[in-house]
Amino acid sequence: MTWVIFDFAGVIGQHQPQADRDAMAATAGVSAADTFWQAYWAHREGYDAGRFEAADYWSTVLADCGEVLAPSTLDRLVSLDVASWLHPNQETVELLDDLTIRGTDLALLSNCPRDLAAALETLPWLDNLSRKFYSSHLSMVKPSPEIYLRVAQLIGVEPGECIFVDDRPANISGAEQANMHGIVFTNATRLREALLSSLD
């Protein structure tokens, strides 16, 4: 049995569009977008790992930018942040359909906070993924080899029976250290070719 485990952002979903990024920085009241995004990513690992609640994360991000978080701003930032990640890569979604028709077992492993994980659970275009795993639920993040080992254990297979797909080479390296097979995602056409070759 071979399971194909997909990353979400940059593979099944698109990375945040510029318009969504601009809306977040504007809502935060930060005129220097580079400052906002530096703070956003500096604290993201803890948020993705479930160590911070949304209020703690966004308070810290805005403090780094010299701003104070208001309750109304928090709700808006959480909503904008979640929505910014929910743009499908339609070609990859079609590949999921085709793999499901072939009978391939599919799963998701995403670094994401709890609010985003809850939103991903509602997306019909992820229904072909029979198992979904989120860093905030597992209290660990990619590329730590431990998260891949834990996912394989929860699925009930050996890591060597899994193919992991991610657009970040560092995350592929972590999967390979856990003895999974890795494919760096560049586009859906190349991924289709690589997977069909591996699964035949």
Side-chain angles (χ1 to χ4, degrees), residues 68-147:
V68 176
L69 179 67
S72 59
T73 303
L74 170 62
D75 293 341
R76 183 68 176 144
L77 283 172
V78 170
S79 295
L80 288 170
D81 187 34
V82 169
S84 73
W85 294 108
L86 304 184
H87 302 278
N89 180 332
Q90 196 57 47
E91 291 183 349
T92 307
V93 172
E94 291 171 3
L95 175 58
L96 297 181
D97 291 339
D98 293 343
L99 290 171
T100 299
I101 291 170
R102 286 174 54 94
T104 306
D105 291 308
L106 306 177
L108 176 75
L109 173 58
S110 176
N111 279 356
C112 67
R114 294 186 184 94
D115 289 313
L116 179 54
L120 296 183
E121 286 291 306
T122 71
L123 297 178
W125 41 278
L126 297 184
D127 285 349
N128 285 324
L129 301 158
S130 61
R131 301 294 301 273
K132 300 183 182 76
F133 302 98
Y134 307 105
S135 57
S136 53
H137 294 179
L138 298 172
S139 301
M140 59 184 85
V141 297
K142 299 176 292 182
S144 169
E146 284 73 21
I147 195 169

Side-chain angles (χ1 to χ4, degrees), residues 151-184:
V151 165
Q153 180 186 46
L154 290 169
I155 291 174
V157 297
E158 294 297 321
E161 297 176 87
C162 301
I163 298 172
F164 180 67
V165 180
D166 199 297
D167 63 320
R168 298 181 183 275
N171 291 343
I172 294 298
S173 178
E176 291 174 342
Q177 290 178 49
N179 204 35
M180 288 187 180
H181 306 281
I183 298 175
V184 177

